[in-house]
Amino acid sequence: DGVYDPGSPNGRLLLGLKGQISELELHTIRARMTAGILNKAQRGELALVLPAGFVRDADGTVHKTPNTEVQSRLQLIFDTFLQVRSASQVLRAFNRDNLEVPRRNRFGDTVWRKPTVSAMVSILKHPAYAGAFTYGRTRTIRTGPGPHQARQQLLSQEEWKICVKDKYPAYISWETYERIQAMLK
């Protein structure tokens, strides 16, 4: 909207003020977007990536996957854990019976993979299987100034930002979920 001479004091003043106003506008826009995300999350309507065993239909409603093999395999993981009380024992039982576990690939499709302890633990620890929508279960810890110098830290259940129970169809009850978390500790 004009030509400014950065060599003159008046030009530097105007350019500096315009830069600061632009920075304030960006901060305001970012704050509004973050508030919108948190508001949607508090209602349990934020469309996050679902774990294997769930699908979201066109209107945004979450259902158990129609694949009964996926449903029964997930149920088997929870039932086996409640019997043997150890994720590594569940892994041994699955390996003994040559059973695979449903997982999401990077495109969001359900794929069958050889079970690992980390896969078992991630299924056992995910609150969506107890019917809960959660937001803010991790915190980013910066280890340096670079973009790849950060790691995710899991927070305790009391530190989660948002937890809306009975939002999804459940594979296990919330009480069973809490019992499993206590056993995993």
Side-chain angles (χ1 to χ4, degrees):
D1 62 345
V3 178
Y4 302 100
D5 179 14
S8 73
N10 192 33
R12 284 194 304 273
L13 174 69
L14 287 173
L15 287 171
L17 286 173
K18 283 188 170 230
Q20 288 181 340
I21 290 170
S22 295
E23 188 176 336
L24 178 65
E25 286 175 344
L26 287 175
H27 173 74
T28 304
I29 290 169
R30 188 175 295 117
R32 284 183 181 163
M33 290 179 73
T34 302
I37 288 171
L38 287 174
N39 189 8
K40 213 169 188 183
Q42 286 173 337
R43 294 189 315 261
E45 297 173 1
L46 186 62
L48 299 175
V49 176
L50 295 169
F54 293 102
V55 293
R56 184 176 282 115
D57 62 16
D59 67 344
T61 306
V62 175
H63 305 281
K64 285 185 180 180
T65 183
N67 187 335
T68 55
E69 188 175 359
V70 171
Q71 288 184 31
S72 64
R73 195 65 52 91
L74 289 168
Q75 193 63 52
L76 181 63
I77 291 171
F78 292 111
D79 293 343
T80 306
F81 180 81
L82 291 170
Q83 289 174 359
V84 298
R85 306 174 68 87
S86 164
S88 59
Q89 293 295 329
V90 175
L91 176 65
R92 283 191 189 124
F94 269 61
N95 284 334
R96 181 186 65 235
D97 297 335
N98 290 323
L99 297 175
E100 293 183 327
V101 293
R103 303 294 288 164
R104 292 259 186 225
N105 65 11
R106 63 185 181 144
F107 304 110
D109 300 324
T110 300
V111 294
W112 293 93
R113 296 225 170 99
K114 185 173 172 49
T116 62
V117 171
S118 63
M120 295 297 180
V121 169
S122 80
I123 290 170
L124 292 166
K125 283 189 170 186
H126 207 300
Y129 294 112
F133 168 85
T134 55
Y135 182 80
R137 292 188 305 135
T138 61
R139 177 183 300 140
T140 302
I141 306 294
R142 294 258 170 228
T143 56
H148 299 290
Q149 295 177 324
R151 62 180 178 82
Q152 294 292 316
Q153 176 189 10
L154 284 173
L155 300 175
S156 67
Q157 189 173 335
E158 299 79 33
E159 295 176 297
W160 294 350
K161 282 189 179 184
I162 297 167
C163 180
V164 181
K165 296 177 185 169
D166 300 324
K167 188 66 182 170
Y168 300 146
Y171 283 87
I172 57 173
S173 68
W174 186 256
E175 293 77 25
T176 304
Y177 172 77
E178 288 181 328
R179 202 167 89 222
I180 288 172
Q181 301 318 299
M183 286 186 227
L184 286 171
K185 276 187 180 178

CSV table of all heavy atoms in Angstrom, one decimal, residues 146-175:
chain,number,residue,atom,x,y,z
A,146,GLY,N,16.6,-27.9,17.4
A,146,GLY,CA,16.2,-28.4,16.1
A,146,GLY,C,14.9,-29.1,16.1
A,146,GLY,O,14.3,-29.5,17.1
A,147,PRO,N,14.3,-29.2,14.9
A,147,PRO,CA,12.9,-29.8,14.8
A,147,PRO,C,12.9,-31.3,15.2
A,147,PRO,O,11.9,-31.8,15.6
A,147,PRO,CB,12.5,-29.6,13.3
A,147,PRO,CG,13.8,-29.4,12.6
A,147,PRO,CD,14.8,-28.8,13.6
A,148,HIS,N,14.0,-32.0,15.0
A,148,HIS,CA,14.1,-33.4,15.3
A,148,HIS,C,14.6,-33.7,16.7
A,148,HIS,O,14.9,-34.8,17.0
A,148,HIS,CB,14.9,-34.2,14.3
A,148,HIS,CG,14.3,-34.0,12.9
A,148,HIS,ND1,13.2,-34.7,12.5
A,148,HIS,CD2,14.7,-33.3,11.8
A,148,HIS,CE1,12.9,-34.4,11.3
A,148,HIS,NE2,13.8,-33.6,10.8
A,149,GLN,N,14.8,-32.6,17.5
A,149,GLN,CA,15.3,-32.8,18.8
A,149,GLN,C,14.2,-32.6,19.8
A,149,GLN,O,14.2,-31.8,20.7
A,149,GLN,CB,16.4,-31.8,19.1
A,149,GLN,CG,17.6,-32.0,18.2
A,149,GLN,CD,18.7,-31.0,18.4
A,149,GLN,OE1,18.4,-29.8,18.6
A,149,GLN,NE2,19.9,-31.4,18.3
A,150,ALA,N,13.2,-33.5,19.7
A,150,ALA,CA,12.0,-33.5,20.6
A,150,ALA,C,11.6,-34.9,20.8
A,150,ALA,O,11.8,-35.8,19.9
A,150,ALA,CB,10.9,-32.6,20.1
A,151,ARG,N,11.0,-35.2,21.9
A,151,ARG,CA,10.5,-36.6,22.2
A,151,ARG,C,9.1,-36.4,22.9
A,151,ARG,O,8.8,-35.4,23.5
A,151,ARG,CB,11.4,-37.4,23.0
A,151,ARG,CG,11.7,-36.9,24.4
A,151,ARG,CD,12.7,-37.8,25.2
A,151,ARG,NE,12.9,-37.3,26.4
A,151,ARG,CZ,12.2,-37.4,27.5
A,151,ARG,NH1,11.0,-38.1,27.4
A,151,ARG,NH2,12.5,-36.9,28.7
A,152,GLN,N,8.3,-37.5,22.7
A,152,GLN,CA,7.0,-37.5,23.3
A,152,GLN,C,7.1,-38.2,24.7
A,152,GLN,O,7.7,-39.2,24.8
A,152,GLN,CB,6.0,-38.2,22.5
A,152,GLN,CG,5.7,-37.5,21.1
A,152,GLN,CD,4.9,-36.2,21.3
A,152,GLN,OE1,4.0,-36.2,22.1
A,152,GLN,NE2,5.4,-35.2,20.6
A,153,GLN,N,6.5,-37.6,25.7
A,153,GLN,CA,6.4,-38.2,27.0
A,153,GLN,C,5.0,-38.5,27.4
A,153,GLN,O,4.1,-37.6,27.3
A,153,GLN,CB,7.0,-37.2,28.1
A,153,GLN,CG,6.9,-37.7,29.5
A,153,GLN,CD,7.3,-36.7,30.5
A,153,GLN,OE1,7.4,-35.5,30.2
A,153,GLN,NE2,7.4,-37.1,31.7
A,154,LEU,N,4.7,-39.7,27.7
A,154,LEU,CA,3.3,-40.1,28.1
A,154,LEU,C,3.0,-39.5,29.5
A,154,LEU,O,3.9,-39.5,30.4
A,154,LEU,CB,3.2,-41.6,28.2
A,154,LEU,CG,3.1,-42.3,26.9
A,154,LEU,CD1,3.1,-43.8,27.1
A,154,LEU,CD2,1.8,-41.9,26.2
A,155,LEU,N,1.9,-39.0,29.7
A,155,LEU,CA,1.5,-38.4,30.9
A,155,LEU,C,0.6,-39.4,31.7
A,155,LEU,O,0.0,-40.3,31.2
A,155,LEU,CB,0.6,-37.1,30.7
A,155,LEU,CG,1.3,-36.0,29.9
A,155,LEU,CD1,0.4,-34.9,29.6
A,155,LEU,CD2,2.5,-35.5,30.7
A,156,SER,N,0.6,-39.2,33.0
A,156,SER,CA,-0.3,-40.0,33.8
A,156,SER,C,-1.8,-39.6,33.6
A,156,SER,O,-2.0,-38.5,33.1
A,156,SER,CB,0.0,-39.8,35.3
A,156,SER,OG,-0.3,-38.5,35.7
A,157,GLN,N,-2.7,-40.5,33.9
A,157,GLN,CA,-4.1,-40.3,33.6
A,157,GLN,C,-4.6,-39.0,34.3
A,157,GLN,O,-5.4,-38.3,33.7
A,157,GLN,CB,-4.9,-41.5,34.1
A,157,GLN,CG,-6.3,-41.5,33.7
A,157,GLN,CD,-7.0,-42.7,34.0
A,157,GLN,OE1,-6.4,-43.8,34.2
A,157,GLN,NE2,-8.3,-42.7,34.2
A,158,GLU,N,-4.1,-38.6,35.4
A,158,GLU,CA,-4.5,-37.4,36.1
A,158,GLU,C,-4.1,-36.1,35.3
A,158,GLU,O,-4.7,-35.1,35.5
A,158,GLU,CB,-4.0,-37.3,37.5
A,158,GLU,CG,-4.4,-38.4,38.4
A,158,GLU,CD,-3.7,-39.7,38.2
A,158,GLU,OE1,-2.5,-39.7,37.9
A,158,GLU,OE2,-4.3,-40.8,38.3
A,159,GLU,N,-3.0,-36.3,34.5
A,159,GLU,CA,-2.5,-35.1,33.8
A,159,GLU,C,-3.1,-34.9,32.4
A,159,GLU,O,-2.8,-34.0,31.7
A,159,GLU,CB,-1.0,-35.2,33.7
A,159,GLU,CG,-0.2,-35.2,35.0
A,159,GLU,CD,1.3,-35.4,34.8
A,159,GLU,OE1,1.7,-36.5,34.4
A,159,GLU,OE2,2.0,-34.4,35.1
A,160,TRP,N,-3.9,-35.9,31.9
A,160,TRP,CA,-4.5,-35.7,30.6
A,160,TRP,C,-5.3,-34.5,30.6
A,160,TRP,O,-6.0,-34.1,31.5
A,160,TRP,CB,-5.4,-36.9,30.3
A,160,TRP,CG,-4.8,-38.2,30.1
A,160,TRP,CD1,-3.4,-38.5,30.1
A,160,TRP,CD2,-5.4,-39.5,30.1
A,160,TRP,NE1,-3.2,-39.8,30.0
A,160,TRP,CE2,-4.4,-40.5,29.9
A,160,TRP,CE3,-6.7,-39.9,30.1
A,160,TRP,CZ2,-4.7,-41.8,29.8
A,160,TRP,CZ3,-7.0,-41.2,30.0
A,160,TRP,CH2,-6.0,-42.2,29.8
A,161,LYS,N,-5.3,-33.8,29.4
A,161,LYS,CA,-6.0,-32.5,29.3
A,161,LYS,C,-7.5,-32.8,29.3
A,161,LYS,O,-8.3,-32.1,29.9
A,161,LYS,CB,-5.6,-31.8,28.0
A,161,LYS,CG,-4.3,-31.0,28.1
A,161,LYS,CD,-4.1,-30.1,27.0
A,161,LYS,CE,-2.8,-29.4,27.2
A,161,LYS,NZ,-2.6,-28.5,26.1
A,162,ILE,N,-7.9,-33.8,28.4
A,162,ILE,CA,-9.4,-34.0,28.2
A,162,ILE,C,-9.6,-35.5,28.2
A,162,ILE,O,-8.9,-36.3,27.5
A,162,ILE,CB,-9.9,-33.4,26.9
A,162,ILE,CG1,-9.7,-31.9,27.0
A,162,ILE,CG2,-11.3,-33.8,26.6
A,162,ILE,CD1,-9.9,-31.1,25.7
A,163,CYS,N,-10.6,-36.0,28.9
A,163,CYS,CA,-11.1,-37.4,28.9
A,163,CYS,C,-12.6,-37.4,28.9
A,163,CYS,O,-13.2,-37.1,29.9
A,163,CYS,CB,-10.5,-38.2,30.0
A,163,CYS,SG,-11.0,-39.9,30.0
A,164,VAL,N,-13.2,-37.8,27.8
A,164,VAL,CA,-14.7,-37.9,27.7
A,164,VAL,C,-15.0,-39.4,27.6
A,164,VAL,O,-14.8,-40.0,26.6
A,164,VAL,CB,-15.2,-37.2,26.4
A,164,VAL,CG1,-16.7,-37.3,26.4
A,164,VAL,CG2,-14.7,-35.7,26.4
A,165,LYS,N,-15.5,-39.9,28.7
A,165,LYS,CA,-15.9,-41.3,28.8
A,165,LYS,C,-17.2,-41.6,28.0
A,165,LYS,O,-18.0,-40.7,27.8
A,165,LYS,CB,-16.0,-41.8,30.2
A,165,LYS,CG,-14.7,-41.6,31.0
A,165,LYS,CD,-14.9,-42.0,32.4
A,165,LYS,CE,-13.6,-41.8,33.2
A,165,LYS,NZ,-13.8,-41.9,34.6
A,166,ASP,N,-17.3,-42.8,27.6
A,166,ASP,CA,-18.5,-43.3,26.9
A,166,ASP,C,-18.8,-42.6,25.6
A,166,ASP,O,-19.9,-42.3,25.2
A,166,ASP,CB,-19.8,-43.2,27.8
A,166,ASP,CG,-19.6,-44.1,29.0
A,166,ASP,OD1,-19.0,-45.2,28.9
A,166,ASP,OD2,-20.1,-43.7,30.1
A,167,LYS,N,-17.7,-42.2,24.9
A,167,LYS,CA,-17.8,-41.5,23.6
A,167,LYS,C,-17.8,-42.5,22.5
A,167,LYS,O,-18.4,-42.3,21.4
A,167,LYS,CB,-16.7,-40.4,23.5
A,167,LYS,CG,-16.9,-39.6,22.3
A,167,LYS,CD,-18.1,-38.7,22.4
A,167,LYS,CE,-18.2,-37.8,21.2
A,167,LYS,NZ,-19.5,-37.1,21.2
A,168,TYR,N,-17.1,-43.6,22.6
A,168,TYR,CA,-16.9,-44.6,21.6
A,168,TYR,C,-17.6,-45.9,22.1
A,168,TYR,O,-17.7,-46.1,23.3
A,168,TYR,CB,-15.4,-44.9,21.3
A,168,TYR,CG,-14.6,-43.7,20.8
A,168,TYR,CD1,-13.3,-43.6,21.1
A,168,TYR,CD2,-15.2,-42.7,20.0
A,168,TYR,CE1,-12.5,-42.5,20.7
A,168,TYR,CE2,-14.4,-41.7,19.5
A,168,TYR,CZ,-13.1,-41.6,19.9
A,168,TYR,OH,-12.4,-40.5,19.4
A,169,PRO,N,-17.9,-46.8,21.2
A,169,PRO,CA,-18.3,-48.1,21.6
A,169,PRO,C,-17.1,-48.8,22.2
A,169,PRO,O,-16.0,-48.8,21.7
A,169,PRO,CB,-18.8,-48.8,20.3
A,169,PRO,CG,-18.1,-48.0,19.2
A,169,PRO,CD,-17.9,-46.7,19.7
A,170,ALA,N,-17.3,-49.5,23.4
A,170,ALA,CA,-16.2,-50.0,24.2
A,170,ALA,C,-16.0,-51.5,23.9
A,170,ALA,O,-17.0,-52.2,23.8
A,170,ALA,CB,-16.5,-49.7,25.6
A,171,TYR,N,-14.7,-51.9,24.0
A,171,TYR,CA,-14.4,-53.3,24.0
A,171,TYR,C,-14.3,-53.8,25.4
A,171,TYR,O,-14.5,-55.0,25.6
A,171,TYR,CB,-13.0,-53.5,23.3
A,171,TYR,CG,-13.1,-53.4,21.8
A,171,TYR,CD1,-13.0,-52.2,21.1
A,171,TYR,CD2,-13.3,-54.6,21.0
A,171,TYR,CE1,-13.0,-52.2,19.7
A,171,TYR,CE2,-13.3,-54.5,19.6
A,171,TYR,CZ,-13.2,-53.3,19.0
A,171,TYR,OH,-13.3,-53.3,17.6
A,172,ILE,N,-14.0,-52.9,26.3
A,172,ILE,CA,-13.9,-53.3,27.8
A,172,ILE,C,-14.5,-52.1,28.5
A,172,ILE,O,-14.6,-51.0,28.0
A,172,ILE,CB,-12.4,-53.5,28.2
A,172,ILE,CG1,-11.6,-52.3,27.9
A,172,ILE,CG2,-11.8,-54.7,27.6
A,172,ILE,CD1,-10.2,-52.3,28.5
A,173,SER,N,-14.9,-52.4,29.8
A,173,SER,CA,-15.5,-51.3,30.6
A,173,SER,C,-14.3,-50.4,31.1
A,173,SER,O,-13.2,-50.8,31.1
A,173,SER,CB,-16.2,-51.9,31.8
A,173,SER,OG,-15.3,-52.5,32.7
A,174,TRP,N,-14.7,-49.2,31.6
A,174,TRP,CA,-13.7,-48.3,32.2
A,174,TRP,C,-13.1,-48.9,33.4
A,174,TRP,O,-11.9,-48.7,33.6
A,174,TRP,CB,-14.3,-46.9,32.5
A,174,TRP,CG,-13.3,-45.9,32.9
A,174,TRP,CD1,-13.1,-45.5,34.2
A,174,TRP,CD2,-12.4,-45.3,32.1
A,174,TRP,NE1,-12.0,-44.6,34.2
A,174,TRP,CE2,-11.6,-44.5,32.9
A,174,TRP,CE3,-12.1,-45.3,30.7
A,174,TRP,CZ2,-10.5,-43.7,32.4
A,174,TRP,CZ3,-11.1,-44.5,30.2
A,174,TRP,CH2,-10.3,-43.7,31.0
A,175,GLU,N,-13.8,-49.6,34.2
A,175,GLU,CA,-13.3,-50.2,35.4
A,175,GLU,C,-12.2,-51.3,35.0
A,175,GLU,O,-11.2,-51.4,35.7
A,175,GLU,CB,-14.4,-50.9,36.3
A,175,GLU,CG,-15.3,-49.9,36.9
A,175,GLU,CD,-16.4,-49.3,35.9
A,175,GLU,OE1,-16.6,-50.0,34.9
A,175,GLU,OE2,-16.8,-48.2,36.1
